[in-house]
Structure formats: structure tokens, C-alpha cells
Amino acid sequence: MPVRQTLSTPEIQLSYLEWNSGKEPVLLLHGLADHALVWSSLGDDLADEFHVVAPDMRGHGESSKPEKDYSFVSAIADLEALMDKLGWQSAHILGHSWTGKLAAIWARQNPQRFRSIILVDPIFIWKFPSLVKLTFPMLYQVLPFLKGMGPFATYEQAVAQAKLLNQYQGWTPLQQQIFQESLVQKADGTWVSKFTIAARNGIFDEVMLEPGFVSAIDIPSLFIQPEKGVNRFDWQLQPYKKYLKNLQITQVTGNHWAFLVEPKKFNQTIRTFLIKLCHDTKRT
């Protein structure tokens, strides 16, 4: 079982889950509007071999929620401070969705921090024209996973909405726990996501402004392509094939949240990749 810990810096408090049984370091980064508990099943499966840490990114979960500054620079600084606290010079780093782009940017800026990079159905890898920002209000209304932010008059209304979302297909006990932990009840009795509007707006601004790739990255890389994910076509994979020079692409069952809807296959895929990589590294 993971232990909840907190990193305190002058800028932020970063809450994280830690499975501290194994030795090889693994850092798990969640996607937009999620939180560290989404990695609960994977963390449990890796814990015998790996030292696993999963933070709540700033603006999410139990971590600080500043009104401003959701830049990649600040998010990466948070993570490097966390690694320093843990005594990690480098780690196997996994990013899902928007943190897939964050991981790609981080890897080209500070490749020495990476033993490997795992990208789980990443999004927004390109830089987008500034005019795209005009569509953000519409996107906030139509993106299904943002519909779990609320506000909801009752917890039962929140649950009814959650059951319609892709990440909670099956409504398993773990999914129920993850959703419950994603909400907070306000003083007026309504329920809202711990993921804030400021974080939503700031992260969307940032992912559109900076390209994920500008140069080649020679780090062992795994791209996880769920069969019902957002990266279904070869043209979407081209930037990863072009810039990641040591790339393996693996398809898994499930949707964008394969680790929640098909965790057994997903976990085995990650475990196999990491154990083989560690074994090969020791041999050389």
C-alpha cells in the first residue's frame, strides 16, 4: 500500500504517493483533471521491484493550487525538487495525456534525469496556432472528462455523471475510490473537483504554446497506444517515430485511461518493459 507524503518548497506543497519496497526509481505522472491515485493498481504491481512515486501535479488532488503559473517550467521544477528530495538523480518517468508532452519537453531539456521515458497516449505534442485559444471555452464545455469537474448539487449527481465517463467504464471499486478522492464538498453543500479552473486554464494555455519535440531524444522510450485511445493513426505517431530514436510502440486494450479500464494488461506491459530494460542495463 502506498504512503501519502508531502514535498514542501517555498513555492508549493506537492503531495505524492510512495511505494518504497523496490530499488529502481519510477515516477508516474497523471493526466489533466486526474490525481496520483489513478496509478494505484500499477504502483501495487511494480512495488516489489521498483521504488514508485506518483505526485498530484500542481492544481490537482492534494497539492497546492496557485491562481497562476501552470507552466511546464514550474511543473518540471516541482518534479525535479521531488526527485532531489527522494535522492534520485534519474528515474524511469511515465507521463499520461498532457504529462506525456511534459515528459517529452523535460527529456530534451534534462535528459540526464531519465533512465527511460514512457508515454501513455500523449496529447497536444505539437505547438498550436494562437488562434486555437479562441476555441478553449467551447472545448471546456464539450471535453467529456472535464464534465466531472462539477459543480454538482449532490454527491449522487456527481456519481451519475462519473458513470458516463470513459475513465470509469465498469465502475470498479478502484474507479469509485479514485472518483471519490477527486471531489471536495464546498461550504454551500455542492461538490466540485479538486482540479481547479485556474489549473485547467493555465495548463491548456501552456500545452498549446510550446512544442513537445524540437530535437532528437536518445532515451529508451515506450509509447503505449490504447486501441480506443486518441492516437489511432500513423500520422499521429510520426513525431514520436521521428524524434524518439530508441522507441518501442506497444498496443494495449482499453481507452485513453487503459490503466483504469484494463489495468491487468496495461500493468504487465509496463512491468515487462521496465524489467527487461533494467536487466539489459545491468548486463551492459
Side-chain angles (χ1 to χ4, degrees):
M1 295 293 293
V3 176
R4 176 71 67 173
Q5 310 273 22
T6 302
L7 165 71
S8 296
T9 74
E11 291 78 27
I12 197 170
Q13 287 200 333
L14 201 70
S15 182
Y16 62 95
L17 298 178
E18 182 175 24
W19 295 257
N20 193 8
S21 300
K23 295 182 179 180
E24 190 80 8
V26 176
L27 185 64
L28 306 177
L29 309 179
H30 64 76
L32 200 69
D34 284 335
H35 54 94
L37 197 62
V38 299
W39 301 120
S40 180
S41 176
L42 178 59
D44 288 347
D45 275 6
L46 296 179
D48 61 331
E49 295 277 350
F50 300 93
H51 181 181
V52 182
V53 168
D56 291 336
M57 303 295 289
R58 61 167 58 201
H60 296 76
E62 303 302 318
S63 289
S64 297
K65 300 171 176 64
E67 284 300 314
K68 297 180 179 180
D69 196 1
Y70 288 93
S71 66
F72 285 122
V73 171
S74 294
I76 291 170
D78 294 343
L79 298 172
E80 294 206 340
L82 175 58
M83 289 179 67
D84 290 344
K85 177 189 177 182
L86 295 165
W88 294 359
Q89 292 185 342
S90 62
H92 303 280
I93 299 174
L94 178 152
H96 169 242
S97 200
W98 79 274
T99 60
K101 184 171 189 176
L102 182 152
I105 293 170
W106 189 8
R108 63 175 165 84
Q109 292 177 347
N110 296 307
Q112 70 278 3
R113 288 292 196 176
F114 286 74
R115 300 188 187 192
S116 70
I117 180 172
I118 302 173
L119 304 179
V120 181
D121 210 21
I123 59 173
F124 302 131
I125 198 65
W126 296 116
K127 177 180 179 179
F128 290 80
S130 58
L131 287 176
V132 172
K133 188 174 181 179
L134 297 176
T135 68
F136 285 6
M138 180 179 67
L139 282 174
Y140 298 153
Q141 295 297 319
V142 301
L143 285 175
F145 68 93
L146 292 181
K147 293 181 179 179
M149 292 184 67
F152 302 102
T154 66
Y155 183 73
E156 289 71 25
Q157 287 183 8
V159 168
Q161 177 61 62
K163 290 180 177 180
L164 302 176
L165 303 179
N166 286 337
Q167 61 265 49
Y168 300 122
Q169 286 181 5
W171 199 236
T172 66
L174 176 58
Q175 292 170 350
Q176 293 174 46
Q177 182 186 7
I178 290 167
F179 180 68
Q180 184 176 9
E181 290 294 323
S182 74
L183 296 180
V184 63
Q185 189 173 27
K186 298 177 68 176
D188 63 3
T190 60
W191 293 83
V192 297
S193 174
K194 293 177 183 176
F195 175 57
T196 65
I197 298 295
R200 181 199 69 183
N201 295 349
I203 290 170
F204 263 91
D205 282 350
E206 186 72 2
V207 297
M208 296 298 177
L209 292 175
E210 186 168 356
F213 294 121
V214 295
S215 58
I217 298 173
D218 190 19
I219 295 169
S221 307
L222 175 65
F223 188 104
I224 299 293
Q225 183 186 31
E227 62 180 357
K228 296 180 181 179
V230 298
N231 293 283
R232 303 186 192 184
F233 304 103
D234 188 64
W235 64 267
Q236 294 173 295
L237 302 181
Q238 286 309 307
Y240 305 97
K241 293 178 178 179
K242 177 179 178 180
Y243 289 103
L244 295 173
K245 298 305 181 182
N246 190 358
L247 174 64
Q248 173 183 332
I249 299 175
T250 300
Q251 295 182 337
V252 296
T253 54
N255 58 34
H256 188 57
W257 292 268
F259 47 89
L260 292 183
V261 298
E262 295 285 351
K264 185 175 181 180
K265 172 65 174 177
F266 179 89
N267 295 355
Q268 187 58 51
T269 300
I270 302 299
R271 184 181 176 87
T272 298
F273 172 78
L274 290 173
I275 289 178
K276 183 178 185 305
L277 184 61
C278 293
H279 178 72
D280 293 345
T281 301
K282 289 177 181 178
R283 283 173 40 184
T284 58

